[in-house]
Amino acid sequence: MVKLIATDMDGTLLNAAHEVSQENVEAIQYAQSQGVTVVIATGRAFYEANDPIMATGLKVPYICLNGAEVRDESFDIVHTSSLNHGLYQRIRETLNNENMYYQVYTNFGIYTEDPEKDLAIYLDIAKHSGQKGDAEKIRQHIQHRIDLGTLKVVDNYDDIESVPGELIMKVLAYDKDLDKIERVKKQLSESSNLAVSSSSLGNIEITHIDAQKGLALQAIADQLGIDMADTMAVGDNLNDKSMLERAGVAVAMENALPELKDIATFVTDSNENSGVAKAIYRALGKEE
């Protein structure tokens, strides 16, 4: 029986409006009422992931930054995995050599050199998801994050490592040239200490090898004394693959990449049609 469920956010739990549907909320509440632990597993930083979840009133643990940070239901950090100086500089050198734009995620915030390029990323992600992004709304959201201080605009990334206590958790790179994306993925994957994945066509998410959703899910299951055979993972993209490979029940969204559907126990409905809720009810044997 499923006792632990991990769900991705973008393209999975969240719809195109970046909201959690009421059906998904009620399904998670039902699972929790049955004693099942439901975990959010996302490439987002906690300060980005918490907003849409907080609006629902749900209390859940978080696997953030693809596993680079894990928080409990009280938001306390229980695990971190960061990139050391050598790994970070190798990533920077590779991306700079390819003239590829990237953001740097730390435990203090997200650094960008150009918010307009961030806008282009969001619009392209929406396009590849079959959706039309609202440029003005996205621009307002970016400015809101800048005002809050979670998105930090800098001239360059040279001084990030000099900030006391700041840890580099993830680097998110982007380019419209998909051949370049594959070439850079291959280069970075040659390092046995890096985990290289994607959350959307056209981007690369780079973390320490220990920072993977599947490893974080395994650690939570071990802490709770739950066998991995009694876990379920739901996702849509490559950064979800490690947890689908380890979970007892692997669920791919209808809008997921074929590579995830190939390893899935079953395929649920799309993120626009509350596919997470349908997967939860199916796994727990409840008729909708």
Side-chain angles (χ1 to χ4, degrees):
M1 172 170 173
V2 170
K3 300 176 182 177
L4 173 61
I5 297 172
T7 174
D8 172 51
M9 290 188 72
D10 295 281
T12 302
L13 184 64
L14 303 182
N15 56 27
H18 294 274
E19 297 172 339
V20 185
S21 71
Q22 186 58 34
E23 186 176 358
N24 281 343
V25 172
E26 290 174 359
I28 291 173
Q29 290 173 333
Y30 172 75
Q32 291 174 329
S33 75
Q34 301 302 301
V36 177
T37 299
V38 181
V39 180
I40 300 297
T42 179
R44 293 186 180 208
F46 174 73
Y47 31 83
E48 291 185 309
N50 187 45
D51 274 355
I53 304 301
M54 184 170 58
T56 68
L58 292 169
K59 295 285 286 184
V60 293
Y62 287 84
I63 296 170
C64 297
L65 300 168
N66 293 338
E69 181 180 274
V70 179
R71 297 188 182 227
D72 62 20
E73 294 92 335
S74 300
F75 306 156
D76 291 329
I77 297 173
V78 296
H79 171 76
T80 60
S81 181
S82 58
L83 294 162
N84 63 29
H85 174 76
L87 289 173
Y88 174 55
Q89 291 305 321
R90 175 172 181 173
I91 294 166
R92 289 190 69 189
E93 181 180 357
T94 302
L95 297 178
N96 289 335
N97 285 344
E98 291 282 356
N99 194 30
M100 183 176 289
Y101 174 72
Y102 60 96
Q103 298 172 324
V104 180
Y105 285 62
T106 78
N107 54 327
F108 290 169
I110 302 170
Y111 288 85
T112 178
E113 293 177 338
D114 189 346
E116 282 301 308
K117 288 186 178 177
D118 296 346
L119 173 63
I121 291 174
Y122 284 114
L123 290 174
D124 201 57
I125 289 173
K127 176 184 175 182
H128 287 303
S129 301
Q131 302 156 3
K132 184 176 181 180
D134 186 321
E136 187 53 38
K137 283 187 177 180
I138 294 172
R139 185 175 279 109
Q140 290 174 3
H141 177 63
I142 290 172
Q143 186 58 51
H144 175 65
R145 292 164 61 204
I146 292 172
D147 294 341
L148 285 176
T150 57
L151 183 64
K152 305 173 187 293
V153 183
V154 293
D155 292 331
N156 58 68
Y157 300 135
D158 293 345
D159 297 329
I160 294 177
E161 290 184 291
S162 66
V163 179
E166 190 151 25
L167 302 174
I168 296 172
M169 316 289 279
K170 184 179 84 166
V171 177
L172 173 65
Y174 167 81
D175 203 285
K176 288 185 178 181
D177 185 341
L178 299 184
D179 289 334
K180 182 190 290 188
I181 289 286
E182 291 307 312
R183 183 168 64 248
V184 172
K185 275 186 179 180
K186 183 177 180 181
Q187 291 176 35
L188 291 173
S189 295
E190 291 174 358
S191 171
S192 60
N193 291 315
L194 292 177
V196 183
S197 64
S198 299
S199 57
S200 175
L201 193 66
N203 79 20
I204 307 174
E205 300 200 348
I206 311 144
T207 57
H208 190 276
I209 191 65
D210 293 336
Q212 299 183 58
K213 291 184 181 183
L215 295 177
L217 178 60
Q218 176 80 65
I220 291 173
D222 290 345
Q223 183 182 23
L224 296 174
I226 295 173
D227 192 285
M228 285 301 287
D230 296 324
T231 67
M232 180 173 89
V234 192
D236 74 305
N237 222 302
L238 291 179
N239 63 335
D240 302 315
K241 187 178 179 182
S242 65
M243 66 176 183
L244 265 68
E245 288 177 329
R246 288 172 171 81
V249 180
V251 183
M253 303 298 292
E254 177 56 41
N255 50 286
L257 294 179
E259 188 171 344
L260 264 69
K261 292 181 179 180
D262 288 344
I263 63 172
T265 308
F266 66 86
V267 176
T268 189
D269 210 334
S270 72
N271 64 315
E272 287 300 291
N273 293 319
S274 301
V276 170
K278 293 170 183 175
I280 289 174
Y281 289 138
R282 176 172 171 174
L284 299 183
K286 180 180 184 298
E287 294 291 334
E288 291 186 72

